[in-house]
Amino acid sequence: MKPEPATEVPQAPLAISEPIADYLDYLRLERARSENTLRAYGVDLRLMTEFLVGQARVQRLSDVTVQMLRDWLAIQHEAQISRTTIARRISSVKNFFAWALKHQVVARDPALRLVAPKKEQRLPHVLQTGQIDRLLSEPASETTKSEPANGEPAKTLSKAEIVAEQKRIALAARDRVIAELLYASGLRISELVSLDIADIDFERRTVRVVGKGNKERVVPFGKPAERVINHWLRNHRKVLAHAETGGALLVGARGGRLNVRQAREVIAQALKSLGDTSASGPHALRHTVATHLLDGGADLRAVQEFLGHSSLATTQLYTHVSVDRLRQSYRQAHPRA
């Protein structure tokens, strides 16, 4: 029995697709939104368009009603899409129609009365100090396999084996920079891979970061991070880099700038190797350094600037984490808890 053909989504009419394209250009050129933000808005508006054209049979944006948009959101609720994702899609749609109204693409805003569900308040996972120490400890993979062990003579490696071994050690040194600098400076993974060598000020031990909204900030890092960065730059970056690498601080196995997916995988594997944490991505290190700073008495405003949060409310989430940890310790240690 042949499977039924997939239902094709009708192509969006120009009266809908062109304003959406203009809006995304506006976000890119005038609002300097990041590629990740543009991608998310593009997906949200594409899904909305597929529903409006395919099911609501809409041909113009001026025909869209609030009930149509609510019907689209109801389908996502039924599909058990998370509240966080639905809230983001509502925000995307509301922002788009507000722009469309301002630029006279529509005469009224059908999304004005849409209400986003409350986001799920999940406390971020925080690594303990001992786990951080293990994560950032020097791995055995930094040593060469050709070194003699137990007095045995060193194995003679071929030229190809020597090159492969140098590359393996270089990648291990680079991976240490990724983990150490993420924890030292609380960077977002996208900010980390965008760094150039010129962004590092070794004299002041600071890094210049261009974050969300194209906002620039200067973030400090400590001596351990300084050591691993210097070790990488002096001894190992040249093994992976080539003439077209440019000034990228972190380099991929093929010599290009390391990308977000590759860096994320490095941290995911490192966290998995700990064996005693459910943390699974680089944002866990950002959560951890923020919480550790607040636990150590850092000012909330200073942590906000350190992380590059536009809103203090976002930073305040970490105070909840600290209080939660304090409450847990109190219950475990206090005799009358």
Side-chain angles (χ1 to χ4, degrees), residues 102-132:
K102 181 179 179 180
H103 290 79
Q104 300 180 338
V105 177
V106 295
R108 55 180 176 74
D109 184 350
L112 190 61
R113 289 186 288 157
L114 287 181
V115 179
K118 290 185 178 180
K119 294 183 180 180
E120 298 160 316
Q121 289 293 334
R122 296 180 181 177
L123 292 178
H125 188 93
V126 175
L127 296 173
Q128 303 298 319
T129 304
Q131 291 173 317
I132 285 291

Side-chain angles (χ1 to χ4, degrees), residues 128-204:
Q128 303 298 319
T129 304
Q131 291 173 317
I132 285 291
D133 290 341
R134 286 160 47 213
L135 183 73
L136 302 181
S137 63
E138 183 173 354
S141 58
E142 289 251 5
T143 59
T144 177
K145 292 179 180 177
S146 63
E147 292 179 354
N150 300 324
E152 296 178 3
K155 176 186 175 182
T156 302
L157 301 178
S158 67
K159 184 176 180 180
E161 288 174 326
I162 291 173
V163 171
E165 183 69 0
Q166 289 175 335
K167 186 174 181 178
R168 181 188 68 81
I169 296 173
L171 289 172
R174 181 208 64 191
D175 292 351
R176 287 199 69 204
V177 174
I178 295 172
E180 189 73 60
L181 198 48
L182 280 176
Y183 178 68
S185 296
L187 301 180
R188 300 177 178 93
I189 195 69
S190 58
E191 295 171 343
L192 178 77
V193 299
S194 298
L195 291 178
D196 288 335
I197 298 173
D199 295 324
I200 308 292
D201 185 335
F202 287 101
E203 184 177 347
R204 295 182 174 85

